[in-house]
Structure formats: C-alpha cells, structure tokens
Amino acid sequence: MWKVLLAALAALVLAGGAWALFMREDDTGRRIDVGALEDGVKFPQPEIADQRVQLGEEAGFNAHNVTTAWVPGQTEPDPAELTVLRNVATALDKRNMKLLITSYAPRPRYAPVSEEERENYATFMATLARELPSVRDFAVWNEPNLNGFWLSQFDDAGQDIAARDYTALLARTYDALKE
C-alpha cells in the first residue's frame, strides 16, 4: 500500500515538475527563460546548429547560453567563431528563443586586470553585439570569484583584488555594449 501511495506521489511530483519546465510565464505574465548552457549547438554548418537547437526546443527550453573564448589582446572575435555564433543565433531566432553569450578566457591568468586588457575585452564584447544584432544578452566573464576562472583573487596582503578588478571590467564592458 505504501509503495503504491509513494509511487503515485512521485508521479504527481514529476508531472508537476514537467509542467513547470514548459511553463513560460510567471504569475504576473512575465516571460521566464528556461534553458541550458551548452556549447554542443555550436557548429560551422548551419543545418547541424539548427538541429541541435531544435533538441533544446523539444525539451521545452526557450533560451540558450553558449560560451566564446577571449584572449589578451583580442578586440574582435575570430571569423570562424563568429560564423558559428551566427548559426546558433539564427537557429534560436527562428524559434523565438533567447541567446545569452558568455565570454571568458581559456586560462584564469588571462583575466583582463589591466586597463588596456579591460578595454580590449570591452571592445571584443561590443564587436560581438554589433555583429550579432539579434543577441541582446551577454554575460561578462564567468565566476570571477573563483581562481579557476580569474587570477589573481588576492594581493600579497590578502586583500580581495578580484572583486575590484572585475567591477572595473564590468563597468567598462557595460558602457561599450550600450554604445
């Protein structure tokens, strides 16, 4: 008896969870974005990118986050990477799905802590925004509070410098994106 009751309760919880996954508005009628961070949709062939995005749509997603790498000195995306991002953006636009692009460096020591590198990164992000006009959402870096993404976290006296440096990057990039 308990097993049947527990199974019925589990089925109700799962059904409710599935319903919530496909619900796209909150109680006030505002859109709720449900998606995934998945670079598996990034392909140079538009038809493959489209097929991969379709899988997310079939899963009930209405948003998608992809990453793109930035390295010191870079002020614009690699042309091949831009093609891939355009393919993803086109596939998502076709389905009225939102795209968020997160850009950070492949190595934490590449974090843009100097004024020159912050400017380079901000220019890079602004170029992405100009080249991908349908994309309205950009994430500036990834987890700058972790040394796996941002070095250095502290100075020799043990003072937090990552927060200071990231705030400066965020401010400069925000201004560049709004321009």
PDB file of all heavy atoms in Angstrom, residues 112-141:
ATOM      1  N   PRO A 112      41.367  39.963 -17.609  1.00  0.00           N
ATOM      2  CA  PRO A 112      41.742  41.327 -18.011  1.00  0.00           C
ATOM      3  C   PRO A 112      41.796  42.283 -16.810  1.00  0.00           C
ATOM      4  O   PRO A 112      40.838  42.977 -16.506  1.00  0.00           O
ATOM      5  CB  PRO A 112      40.644  41.712 -18.999  1.00  0.00           C
ATOM      6  CG  PRO A 112      39.471  40.884 -18.605  1.00  0.00           C
ATOM      7  CD  PRO A 112      40.009  39.626 -18.029  1.00  0.00           C
ATOM      8  N   VAL A 113      42.935  42.312 -16.143  1.00  0.00           N
ATOM      9  CA  VAL A 113      43.055  43.136 -14.939  1.00  0.00           C
ATOM     10  C   VAL A 113      43.680  44.500 -15.210  1.00  0.00           C
ATOM     11  O   VAL A 113      43.523  45.415 -14.408  1.00  0.00           O
ATOM     12  CB  VAL A 113      43.833  42.394 -13.830  1.00  0.00           C
ATOM     13  CG1 VAL A 113      43.060  41.157 -13.385  1.00  0.00           C
ATOM     14  CG2 VAL A 113      45.229  42.010 -14.272  1.00  0.00           C
ATOM     15  N   SER A 114      44.347  44.665 -16.330  1.00  0.00           N
ATOM     16  CA  SER A 114      44.921  45.986 -16.652  1.00  0.00           C
ATOM     17  C   SER A 114      43.890  46.813 -17.420  1.00  0.00           C
ATOM     18  O   SER A 114      42.952  46.273 -18.011  1.00  0.00           O
ATOM     19  CB  SER A 114      46.191  45.829 -17.493  1.00  0.00           C
ATOM     20  OG  SER A 114      45.854  45.412 -18.817  1.00  0.00           O
ATOM     21  N   GLU A 115      44.086  48.098 -17.399  1.00  0.00           N
ATOM     22  CA  GLU A 115      43.178  48.998 -18.124  1.00  0.00           C
ATOM     23  C   GLU A 115      43.160  48.655 -19.616  1.00  0.00           C
ATOM     24  O   GLU A 115      42.100  48.613 -20.246  1.00  0.00           O
ATOM     25  CB  GLU A 115      43.603  50.460 -17.923  1.00  0.00           C
ATOM     26  CG  GLU A 115      42.695  51.452 -18.601  1.00  0.00           C
ATOM     27  CD  GLU A 115      41.257  51.412 -18.097  1.00  0.00           C
ATOM     28  OE1 GLU A 115      41.042  51.227 -16.888  1.00  0.00           O
ATOM     29  OE2 GLU A 115      40.334  51.544 -18.933  1.00  0.00           O
ATOM     30  N   GLU A 116      44.324  48.372 -20.184  1.00  0.00           N
ATOM     31  CA  GLU A 116      44.405  48.040 -21.608  1.00  0.00           C
ATOM     32  C   GLU A 116      43.631  46.760 -21.931  1.00  0.00           C
ATOM     33  O   GLU A 116      42.875  46.706 -22.913  1.00  0.00           O
ATOM     34  CB  GLU A 116      45.869  47.873 -22.026  1.00  0.00           C
ATOM     35  CG  GLU A 116      46.033  47.502 -23.489  1.00  0.00           C
ATOM     36  CD  GLU A 116      47.488  47.282 -23.887  1.00  0.00           C
ATOM     37  OE1 GLU A 116      48.391  47.346 -23.024  1.00  0.00           O
ATOM     38  OE2 GLU A 116      47.710  47.022 -25.087  1.00  0.00           O
ATOM     39  N   GLU A 117      43.785  45.734 -21.104  1.00  0.00           N
ATOM     40  CA  GLU A 117      43.082  44.480 -21.370  1.00  0.00           C
ATOM     41  C   GLU A 117      41.579  44.604 -21.119  1.00  0.00           C
ATOM     42  O   GLU A 117      40.780  43.977 -21.810  1.00  0.00           O
ATOM     43  CB  GLU A 117      43.680  43.327 -20.579  1.00  0.00           C
ATOM     44  CG  GLU A 117      45.053  42.907 -21.080  1.00  0.00           C
ATOM     45  CD  GLU A 117      45.107  42.602 -22.583  1.00  0.00           C
ATOM     46  OE1 GLU A 117      44.107  42.133 -23.173  1.00  0.00           O
ATOM     47  OE2 GLU A 117      46.171  42.838 -23.176  1.00  0.00           O
ATOM     48  N   ARG A 118      41.183  45.411 -20.140  1.00  0.00           N
ATOM     49  CA  ARG A 118      39.742  45.661 -19.955  1.00  0.00           C
ATOM     50  C   ARG A 118      39.168  46.336 -21.190  1.00  0.00           C
ATOM     51  O   ARG A 118      38.073  46.004 -21.638  1.00  0.00           O
ATOM     52  CB  ARG A 118      39.497  46.514 -18.706  1.00  0.00           C
ATOM     53  CG  ARG A 118      39.626  45.749 -17.425  1.00  0.00           C
ATOM     54  CD  ARG A 118      39.084  46.526 -16.240  1.00  0.00           C
ATOM     55  NE  ARG A 118      39.853  47.717 -15.943  1.00  0.00           N
ATOM     56  CZ  ARG A 118      40.860  47.766 -15.071  1.00  0.00           C
ATOM     57  NH1 ARG A 118      41.224  46.675 -14.419  1.00  0.00           N
ATOM     58  NH2 ARG A 118      41.493  48.892 -14.848  1.00  0.00           N
ATOM     59  N   GLU A 119      39.900  47.254 -21.753  1.00  0.00           N
ATOM     60  CA  GLU A 119      39.448  47.940 -22.970  1.00  0.00           C
ATOM     61  C   GLU A 119      39.367  46.948 -24.133  1.00  0.00           C
ATOM     62  O   GLU A 119      38.405  46.969 -24.909  1.00  0.00           O
ATOM     63  CB  GLU A 119      40.391  49.095 -23.310  1.00  0.00           C
ATOM     64  CG  GLU A 119      39.952  49.905 -24.504  1.00  0.00           C
ATOM     65  CD  GLU A 119      38.614  50.611 -24.306  1.00  0.00           C
ATOM     66  OE1 GLU A 119      38.289  51.003 -23.179  1.00  0.00           O
ATOM     67  OE2 GLU A 119      37.878  50.751 -25.318  1.00  0.00           O
ATOM     68  N   ASN A 120      40.359  46.084 -24.253  1.00  0.00           N
ATOM     69  CA  ASN A 120      40.330  45.074 -25.319  1.00  0.00           C
ATOM     70  C   ASN A 120      39.120  44.156 -25.174  1.00  0.00           C
ATOM     71  O   ASN A 120      38.424  43.876 -26.149  1.00  0.00           O
ATOM     72  CB  ASN A 120      41.613  44.235 -25.301  1.00  0.00           C
ATOM     73  CG  ASN A 120      42.824  44.999 -25.767  1.00  0.00           C
ATOM     74  OD1 ASN A 120      42.715  46.019 -26.450  1.00  0.00           O
ATOM     75  ND2 ASN A 120      43.995  44.541 -25.380  1.00  0.00           N
ATOM     76  N   TYR A 121      38.875  43.697 -23.959  1.00  0.00           N
ATOM     77  CA  TYR A 121      37.733  42.815 -23.719  1.00  0.00           C
ATOM     78  C   TYR A 121      36.415  43.537 -24.018  1.00  0.00           C
ATOM     79  O   TYR A 121      35.525  42.979 -24.669  1.00  0.00           O
ATOM     80  CB  TYR A 121      37.748  42.317 -22.269  1.00  0.00           C
ATOM     81  CG  TYR A 121      36.589  41.416 -21.934  1.00  0.00           C
ATOM     82  CD1 TYR A 121      36.655  40.047 -22.168  1.00  0.00           C
ATOM     83  CD2 TYR A 121      35.416  41.929 -21.392  1.00  0.00           C
ATOM     84  CE1 TYR A 121      35.589  39.209 -21.868  1.00  0.00           C
ATOM     85  CE2 TYR A 121      34.342  41.103 -21.090  1.00  0.00           C
ATOM     86  CZ  TYR A 121      34.431  39.754 -21.328  1.00  0.00           C
ATOM     87  OH  TYR A 121      33.366  38.937 -21.038  1.00  0.00           O
ATOM     88  N   ALA A 122      36.281  44.764 -23.554  1.00  0.00           N
ATOM     89  CA  ALA A 122      35.055  45.537 -23.793  1.00  0.00           C
ATOM     90  C   ALA A 122      34.832  45.752 -25.289  1.00  0.00           C
ATOM     91  O   ALA A 122      33.699  45.632 -25.776  1.00  0.00           O
ATOM     92  CB  ALA A 122      35.130  46.880 -23.066  1.00  0.00           C
ATOM     93  N   THR A 123      35.896  46.025 -26.018  1.00  0.00           N
ATOM     94  CA  THR A 123      35.790  46.188 -27.473  1.00  0.00           C
ATOM     95  C   THR A 123      35.365  44.876 -28.123  1.00  0.00           C
ATOM     96  O   THR A 123      34.529  44.858 -29.037  1.00  0.00           O
ATOM     97  CB  THR A 123      37.136  46.681 -28.048  1.00  0.00           C
ATOM     98  OG1 THR A 123      37.467  47.921 -27.430  1.00  0.00           O
ATOM     99  CG2 THR A 123      37.058  46.862 -29.558  1.00  0.00           C
ATOM    100  N   PHE A 124      35.926  43.776 -27.665  1.00  0.00           N
ATOM    101  CA  PHE A 124      35.558  42.448 -28.155  1.00  0.00           C
ATOM    102  C   PHE A 124      34.061  42.202 -27.966  1.00  0.00           C
ATOM    103  O   PHE A 124      33.363  41.778 -28.887  1.00  0.00           O
ATOM    104  CB  PHE A 124      36.383  41.392 -27.399  1.00  0.00           C
ATOM    105  CG  PHE A 124      36.011  39.969 -27.684  1.00  0.00           C
ATOM    106  CD1 PHE A 124      36.547  39.303 -28.765  1.00  0.00           C
ATOM    107  CD2 PHE A 124      35.131  39.283 -26.853  1.00  0.00           C
ATOM    108  CE1 PHE A 124      36.215  37.972 -29.019  1.00  0.00           C
ATOM    109  CE2 PHE A 124      34.791  37.963 -27.099  1.00  0.00           C
ATOM    110  CZ  PHE A 124      35.338  37.302 -28.183  1.00  0.00           C
ATOM    111  N   MET A 125      33.561  42.467 -26.770  1.00  0.00           N
ATOM    112  CA  MET A 125      32.135  42.249 -26.485  1.00  0.00           C
ATOM    113  C   MET A 125      31.251  43.177 -27.322  1.00  0.00           C
ATOM    114  O   MET A 125      30.204  42.753 -27.830  1.00  0.00           O
ATOM    115  CB  MET A 125      31.863  42.434 -24.999  1.00  0.00           C
ATOM    116  CG  MET A 125      32.514  41.379 -24.126  1.00  0.00           C
ATOM    117  SD  MET A 125      31.881  39.712 -24.392  1.00  0.00           S
ATOM    118  CE  MET A 125      30.397  39.796 -23.404  1.00  0.00           C
ATOM    119  N   ALA A 126      31.662  44.421 -27.477  1.00  0.00           N
ATOM    120  CA  ALA A 126      30.884  45.361 -28.293  1.00  0.00           C
ATOM    121  C   ALA A 126      30.860  44.911 -29.753  1.00  0.00           C
ATOM    122  O   ALA A 126      29.839  45.057 -30.444  1.00  0.00           O
ATOM    123  CB  ALA A 126      31.460  46.768 -28.173  1.00  0.00           C
ATOM    124  N   THR A 127      31.960  44.347 -30.215  1.00  0.00           N
ATOM    125  CA  THR A 127      32.001  43.828 -31.585  1.00  0.00           C
ATOM    126  C   THR A 127      31.030  42.661 -31.736  1.00  0.00           C
ATOM    127  O   THR A 127      30.309  42.563 -32.737  1.00  0.00           O
ATOM    128  CB  THR A 127      33.434  43.404 -31.962  1.00  0.00           C
ATOM    129  OG1 THR A 127      34.297  44.529 -31.831  1.00  0.00           O
ATOM    130  CG2 THR A 127      33.495  42.875 -33.385  1.00  0.00           C
ATOM    131  N   LEU A 128      30.994  41.783 -30.747  1.00  0.00           N
ATOM    132  CA  LEU A 128      30.016  40.691 -30.780  1.00  0.00           C
ATOM    133  C   LEU A 128      28.591  41.246 -30.891  1.00  0.00           C
ATOM    134  O   LEU A 128      27.786  40.763 -31.688  1.00  0.00           O
ATOM    135  CB  LEU A 128      30.108  39.833 -29.515  1.00  0.00           C
ATOM    136  CG  LEU A 128      31.182  38.778 -29.429  1.00  0.00           C
ATOM    137  CD1 LEU A 128      31.173  38.130 -28.053  1.00  0.00           C
ATOM    138  CD2 LEU A 128      31.020  37.733 -30.516  1.00  0.00           C
ATOM    139  N   ALA A 129      28.299  42.242 -30.102  1.00  0.00           N
ATOM    140  CA  ALA A 129      26.950  42.832 -30.104  1.00  0.00           C
ATOM    141  C   ALA A 129      26.619  43.446 -31.461  1.00  0.00           C
ATOM    142  O   ALA A 129      25.495  43.297 -31.958  1.00  0.00           O
ATOM    143  CB  ALA A 129      26.835  43.881 -29.004  1.00  0.00           C
ATOM    144  N   ARG A 130      27.577  44.115 -32.076  1.00  0.00           N
ATOM    145  CA  ARG A 130      27.333  44.712 -33.404  1.00  0.00           C
ATOM    146  C   ARG A 130      27.176  43.648 -34.476  1.00  0.00           C
ATOM    147  O   ARG A 130      26.334  43.763 -35.365  1.00  0.00           O
ATOM    148  CB  ARG A 130      28.484  45.649 -33.778  1.00  0.00           C
ATOM    149  CG  ARG A 130      28.344  47.052 -33.257  1.00  0.00           C
ATOM    150  CD  ARG A 130      29.364  47.998 -33.881  1.00  0.00           C
ATOM    151  NE  ARG A 130      30.740  47.529 -33.794  1.00  0.00           N
ATOM    152  CZ  ARG A 130      31.511  47.652 -32.715  1.00  0.00           C
ATOM    153  NH1 ARG A 130      31.034  48.220 -31.635  1.00  0.00           N
ATOM    154  NH2 ARG A 130      32.745  47.206 -32.727  1.00  0.00           N
ATOM    155  N   GLU A 131      27.988  42.609 -34.411  1.00  0.00           N
ATOM    156  CA  GLU A 131      27.971  41.555 -35.428  1.00  0.00           C
ATOM    157  C   GLU A 131      26.785  40.602 -35.288  1.00  0.00           C
ATOM    158  O   GLU A 131      26.437  39.913 -36.242  1.00  0.00           O
ATOM    159  CB  GLU A 131      29.285  40.768 -35.403  1.00  0.00           C
ATOM    160  CG  GLU A 131      30.501  41.572 -35.801  1.00  0.00           C
ATOM    161  CD  GLU A 131      30.498  41.966 -37.268  1.00  0.00           C
ATOM    162  OE1 GLU A 131      29.962  41.206 -38.107  1.00  0.00           O
ATOM    163  OE2 GLU A 131      31.028  43.049 -37.584  1.00  0.00           O
ATOM    164  N   LEU A 132      26.210  40.552 -34.106  1.00  0.00           N
ATOM    165  CA  LEU A 132      25.077  39.657 -33.832  1.00  0.00           C
ATOM    166  C   LEU A 132      23.916  40.499 -33.290  1.00  0.00           C
ATOM    167  O   LEU A 132      23.587  40.438 -32.107  1.00  0.00           O
ATOM    168  CB  LEU A 132      25.478  38.579 -32.825  1.00  0.00           C
ATOM    169  CG  LEU A 132      26.668  37.701 -33.227  1.00  0.00           C
ATOM    170  CD1 LEU A 132      27.215  36.955 -32.027  1.00  0.00           C
ATOM    171  CD2 LEU A 132      26.271  36.756 -34.338  1.00  0.00           C
ATOM    172  N   PRO A 133      23.288  41.300 -34.155  1.00  0.00           N
ATOM    173  CA  PRO A 133      22.294  42.274 -33.670  1.00  0.00           C
ATOM    174  C   PRO A 133      21.067  41.666 -32.995  1.00  0.00           C
ATOM    175  O   PRO A 133      20.415  42.341 -32.208  1.00  0.00           O
ATOM    176  CB  PRO A 133      21.907  43.055 -34.930  1.00  0.00           C
ATOM    177  CG  PRO A 133      22.329  42.207 -36.075  1.00  0.00           C
ATOM    178  CD  PRO A 133      23.462  41.356 -35.598  1.00  0.00           C
ATOM    179  N   SER A 134      20.758  40.417 -33.261  1.00  0.00           N
ATOM    180  CA  SER A 134      19.590  39.815 -32.607  1.00  0.00           C
ATOM    181  C   SER A 134      19.895  39.381 -31.172  1.00  0.00           C
ATOM    182  O   SER A 134      18.983  39.122 -30.393  1.00  0.00           O
ATOM    183  CB  SER A 134      19.076  38.620 -33.407  1.00  0.00           C
ATOM    184  OG  SER A 134      20.021  37.566 -33.375  1.00  0.00           O
ATOM    185  N   VAL A 135      21.174  39.325 -30.814  1.00  0.00           N
ATOM    186  CA  VAL A 135      21.563  38.920 -29.464  1.00  0.00           C
ATOM    187  C   VAL A 135      21.539  40.152 -28.568  1.00  0.00           C
ATOM    188  O   VAL A 135      22.180  41.160 -28.864  1.00  0.00           O
ATOM    189  CB  VAL A 135      22.958  38.258 -29.450  1.00  0.00           C
ATOM    190  CG1 VAL A 135      23.346  37.850 -28.035  1.00  0.00           C
ATOM    191  CG2 VAL A 135      22.987  37.064 -30.384  1.00  0.00           C
ATOM    192  N   ARG A 136      20.789  40.067 -27.492  1.00  0.00           N
ATOM    193  CA  ARG A 136      20.636  41.192 -26.568  1.00  0.00           C
ATOM    194  C   ARG A 136      21.229  40.909 -25.201  1.00  0.00           C
ATOM    195  O   ARG A 136      21.260  41.786 -24.348  1.00  0.00           O
ATOM    196  CB  ARG A 136      19.152  41.534 -26.397  1.00  0.00           C
ATOM    197  CG  ARG A 136      18.391  41.712 -27.682  1.00  0.00           C
ATOM    198  CD  ARG A 136      18.814  42.885 -28.509  1.00  0.00           C
ATOM    199  NE  ARG A 136      18.616  44.124 -27.774  1.00  0.00           N
ATOM    200  CZ  ARG A 136      19.232  45.262 -28.045  1.00  0.00           C
ATOM    201  NH1 ARG A 136      20.061  45.324 -29.038  1.00  0.00           N
ATOM    202  NH2 ARG A 136      19.012  46.324 -27.337  1.00  0.00           N
ATOM    203  N   ASP A 137      21.694  39.678 -24.975  1.00  0.00           N
ATOM    204  CA  ASP A 137      22.154  39.285 -23.641  1.00  0.00           C
ATOM    205  C   ASP A 137      23.583  38.754 -23.677  1.00  0.00           C
ATOM    206  O   ASP A 137      23.885  37.823 -24.433  1.00  0.00           O
ATOM    207  CB  ASP A 137      21.212  38.219 -23.065  1.00  0.00           C
ATOM    208  CG  ASP A 137      19.802  38.752 -22.936  1.00  0.00           C
ATOM    209  OD1 ASP A 137      19.592  39.629 -22.085  1.00  0.00           O
ATOM    210  OD2 ASP A 137      18.915  38.295 -23.685  1.00  0.00           O
ATOM    211  N   PHE A 138      24.409  39.370 -22.851  1.00  0.00           N
ATOM    212  CA  PHE A 138      25.818  38.992 -22.772  1.00  0.00           C
ATOM    213  C   PHE A 138      26.207  38.855 -21.306  1.00  0.00           C
ATOM    214  O   PHE A 138      25.847  39.704 -20.490  1.00  0.00           O
ATOM    215  CB  PHE A 138      26.701  40.051 -23.435  1.00  0.00           C
ATOM    216  CG  PHE A 138      26.440  40.184 -24.900  1.00  0.00           C
ATOM    217  CD1 PHE A 138      25.488  41.071 -25.374  1.00  0.00           C
ATOM    218  CD2 PHE A 138      27.141  39.417 -25.813  1.00  0.00           C
ATOM    219  CE1 PHE A 138      25.225  41.194 -26.725  1.00  0.00           C
ATOM    220  CE2 PHE A 138      26.890  39.533 -27.175  1.00  0.00           C
ATOM    221  CZ  PHE A 138      25.932  40.416 -27.628  1.00  0.00           C
ATOM    222  N   ALA A 139      26.938  37.801 -20.984  1.00  0.00           N
ATOM    223  CA  ALA A 139      27.472  37.622 -19.635  1.00  0.00           C
ATOM    224  C   ALA A 139      28.946  38.001 -19.670  1.00  0.00           C
ATOM    225  O   ALA A 139      29.704  37.495 -20.498  1.00  0.00           O
ATOM    226  CB  ALA A 139      27.298  36.188 -19.163  1.00  0.00           C
ATOM    227  N   VAL A 140      29.316  38.907 -18.790  1.00  0.00           N
ATOM    228  CA  VAL A 140      30.690  39.380 -18.716  1.00  0.00           C
ATOM    229  C   VAL A 140      31.462  38.453 -17.787  1.00  0.00           C
ATOM    230  O   VAL A 140      31.278  38.478 -16.580  1.00  0.00           O
ATOM    231  CB  VAL A 140      30.737  40.838 -18.207  1.00  0.00           C
ATOM    232  CG1 VAL A 140      32.170  41.306 -18.041  1.00  0.00           C
ATOM    233  CG2 VAL A 140      29.972  41.744 -19.173  1.00  0.00           C
ATOM    234  N   TRP A 141      32.272  37.605 -18.388  1.00  0.00           N
ATOM    235  CA  TRP A 141      33.132  36.639 -17.720  1.00  0.00           C
ATOM    236  C   TRP A 141      32.310  35.536 -17.089  1.00  0.00           C
ATOM    237  O   TRP A 141      31.097  35.434 -17.274  1.00  0.00           O
ATOM    238  CB  TRP A 141      34.045  37.319 -16.685  1.00  0.00           C
ATOM    239  CG  TRP A 141      35.405  36.691 -16.651  1.00  0.00           C
ATOM    240  CD1 TRP A 141      35.870  35.838 -15.709  1.00  0.00           C
ATOM    241  CD2 TRP A 141      36.451  36.843 -17.594  1.00  0.00           C
ATOM    242  NE1 TRP A 141      37.155  35.436 -16.010  1.00  0.00           N
ATOM    243  CE2 TRP A 141      37.536  36.054 -17.179  1.00  0.00           C
ATOM    244  CE3 TRP A 141      36.583  37.563 -18.778  1.00  0.00           C
ATOM    245  CZ2 TRP A 141      38.724  35.969 -17.877  1.00  0.00           C
ATOM    246  CZ3 TRP A 141      37.764  37.482 -19.471  1.00  0.00           C
ATOM    247  CH2 TRP A 141      38.816  36.693 -19.024  1.00  0.00           C
TER     248      TRP A 141
END
